[in-house]
Amino acid sequence: MTPEDTPFTLRHIEEPEIQFEGGTETSPKRGLIRYGPRLYEEGHHTIKLGIIGDRDSIRRLTELLHDMEVGIHPGTSDNPWQVPYPGLGKSSPLNLSINAKKGWRRQIRRRDIQSVTSKSTPRDRMERFLKLVRKDIEIIERDSVQPNAIIVCIPQEVMDACTPENQDHARIQSEGSDLRNRIKLIGMEARIPTQLIKPSTLAIRTDRQRASRAWNLTVGLLYKSQRGHPWKTRQIEDGHCYAGLSFYRERDEGDDVIRAALAHVFHGRDHIILQSDPLPDITEDENGSPHLSYEAARQVGEQILEYYEAQKGTRPSRFVLHKPSVFWEEEREGLLDATDGVRDLDLVSVDHIENSLPPPVEVEFASSMRGQFSK
């Protein structure tokens, strides 16, 4: 096949510069080492960290945290993804420490795991495990000094037990309930963000893997602990509001299903996570993806924009909202009415396809471009 016969065009896109505390860089890791993260306050910061997991995962995680204190070198290669982890502490360019005291650790014992695996269905096993996690988070929450974030290590047996036979562990879902999202919601109810870790993440065999895990954990905890941001993009324009909508489903003691939604709002330098009130009249399509009613969509849109306006003193000129399912007509109508006065409204749906090419992104343009659709 000649170049003229190629059915697509390849184009190299230069790495964008990102903004750190003291300068810009194209490499996130090198930028953090040279300029440091964008912390909310001056001075050294300590992230107080809670841990929930079985004995083995707690041991592996505490070993990783110990290595992070002194620094980790992934090897001699000069590849950009093998940047050494510089370590933590007051002398670290990251200007961070992590305190994971024993009082913030909760061990999932063998009998607890057996109480999960003994249930008859993946959904019942999931509900049992969530009950255990909720109890542990509530105990940690009652400490006189609360952690800034909690890491929840999901035991392998629990992952196996809660995953239906027709799914892999990438998405632990059953009957429309997502284990990861449910744990995040429990943490948000306690006002303590959670970070989930799978057993494979802690199965570290090389220094390169160890350094990579250390970088990922540091960046994640910076966001989750709300102590600051590792960096920010330079291209986000003032007056633009970006939000992502996720759905959660719970059961109360009477087995009634309660649904809630979370909106992640970004504007300029700042970001916040808002939890909506329980939303009425949520419908699921044939794939189990939830969809908002007109009233629920309008309610979510108004809540996001009210927060933005309270912070900025004006409505955004552009509002971008994404969620993991296509927007139905009544969702679009509700959001259009909620965003009256906003110049541009972009509704983006991101679909996930297992064992395939990267997922397609469907973008729907409303407001001044209402009626157009691009896929």
Side-chain angles (χ1 to χ4, degrees):
M1 178 179 290
T2 65
E4 291 75 13
D5 297 326
T6 303
F8 57 88
T9 301
L10 296 177
R11 182 164 61 96
H12 176 250
I13 300 176
E14 296 289 341
E15 289 284 348
E17 286 193 339
I18 47 181
Q19 183 74 47
F20 298 88
E21 181 63 28
T24 61
E25 245 285 1
T26 57
S27 166
K29 296 174 184 177
R30 297 188 190 281
L32 286 171
I33 291 175
R34 291 178 182 175
Y35 304 114
R38 297 173 57 83
L39 301 176
Y40 288 146
E41 299 176 0
E42 294 183 1
H44 184 76
H45 284 257
T46 297
I47 296 175
K48 299 184 287 291
L49 183 64
I51 301 174
I52 298 173
D54 60 9
R55 182 172 61 181
D56 185 59
S57 60
I58 291 177
R59 176 185 61 81
R60 290 171 181 258
L61 179 56
T62 52
E63 288 176 355
L64 175 60
L65 292 173
H66 178 267
D67 291 340
M68 290 169 62
E69 292 180 2
V70 298
I72 306 168
H73 201 291
T76 58
S77 174
D78 194 35
N79 291 329
W81 57 85
Q82 291 188 349
V83 177
Y85 184 78
L88 299 170
K90 293 185 178 180
S91 61
S92 168
L94 302 179
N95 203 20
L96 289 171
S97 294
I98 296 177
N99 177 14
K101 72 172 188 176
K102 291 185 177 180
W104 295 326
R105 299 179 194 174
R106 298 293 302 170
Q107 182 178 331
I108 301 172
R109 303 188 182 278
R110 185 66 198 167
R111 63 175 178 269
D112 297 326
I113 296 177
Q114 290 174 345
S115 73
V116 173
T117 58
S118 64
K119 299 296 182 181
S120 58
T121 67
R123 179 61 187 270
D124 289 338
R125 296 167 199 150
M126 185 183 299
E127 295 298 330
R128 174 58 184 163
F129 182 67
L130 289 168
K131 187 175 181 179
L132 294 173
V133 171
R134 181 183 294 277
K135 179 181 178 181
D136 285 339
I137 289 179
E138 289 175 349
I139 291 174
I140 294 174
E141 181 190 12
R142 290 198 292 268
D143 194 278
S144 57
V145 178
Q146 292 185 3
N148 303 118
I150 297 175
I151 289 180
V152 179
C153 304
I154 306 177
Q156 186 65 53
E157 288 181 73
V158 172
M159 292 186 63
D160 294 339
C162 295
T163 305
E165 293 182 358
N166 60 343
Q167 291 184 13
D168 59 27
H169 290 144
R171 304 176 72 185
I172 310 176
Q173 296 178 335
S174 179
E175 300 177 26
S177 186
D178 186 296
L179 181 64
R180 292 182 177 86
N181 289 345
R182 294 280 300 280
I183 291 175
K184 291 177 183 178
L185 182 59
I186 292 172
M188 293 191 68
E189 290 173 347
R191 299 187 181 277
I192 305 177
T194 57
Q195 175 75 45
L196 275 59
I197 290 184
K198 298 185 297 184
S200 58
T201 302
L202 296 175
I204 301 172
R205 298 178 178 84
T206 66
D207 287 338
R208 177 178 173 179
Q209 289 180 334
R210 192 171 298 275
S212 176
R213 302 293 195 274
W215 278 114
N216 293 341
L217 187 58
T218 300
V219 170
L221 289 178
L222 261 174
Y223 277 113
K224 295 292 179 72
S225 67
Q226 301 185 38
R227 309 300 290 175
H229 302 151
W231 56 77
K232 79 178 188 75
T233 58
R234 302 184 67 191
Q235 289 80 7
I236 295 180
E237 299 181 23
D238 193 33
H240 291 192
C241 177
Y242 299 83
L245 195 60
S246 300
F247 295 92
Y248 304 86
R249 187 161 74 175
E250 288 190 308
R251 283 181 178 175
D252 64 12
E253 295 180 356
D255 285 340
D256 292 326
V257 176
I258 302 173
R259 298 177 177 91
L262 303 176
H264 307 247
V265 181
F266 301 80
H267 57 88
R269 296 183 179 181
D270 307 316
H271 83 283
I272 192 69
I273 299 177
L274 302 176
Q275 180 178 344
S276 77
D277 296 328
L279 298 173
D281 303 326
I282 292 182
T283 304
E284 292 182 353
D285 59 25
E286 65 276 8
N287 297 317
S289 298
H291 294 270
L292 300 171
S293 65
Y294 166 85
E295 288 296 334
R298 185 175 60 81
Q299 175 183 324
V300 167
E302 288 177 348
Q303 182 178 359
I304 295 171
L305 294 179
E306 284 173 3
Y307 171 80
Y308 182 96
E309 191 167 358
Q311 298 296 314
K312 306 288 283 187
T314 183
R315 285 206 154 195
S317 59
R318 183 187 182 198
F319 178 32
V320 181
L321 179 66
H322 71 83
K323 71 183 183 77
S325 60
V326 175
F327 286 85
W328 284 359
E329 181 62 28
E330 59 181 334
E331 293 177 298
R332 292 195 293 267
E333 292 298 328
L335 289 165
L336 280 169
D337 287 348
T339 56
D340 183 44
V342 176
R343 185 189 67 200
D344 297 317
L345 171 63
D346 299 344
L347 303 179
V348 182
S349 60
V350 182
D351 190 18
H352 178 78
I353 300 177
E354 298 284 353
N355 302 320
S356 183
L357 295 172
V361 177
E362 297 181 356
V363 183
E364 303 175 51
F365 298 94
S367 183
S368 59
M369 303 176 67
R370 179 172 176 169
Q372 298 188 25
F373 178 79
S374 174
K375 181 175 180 180

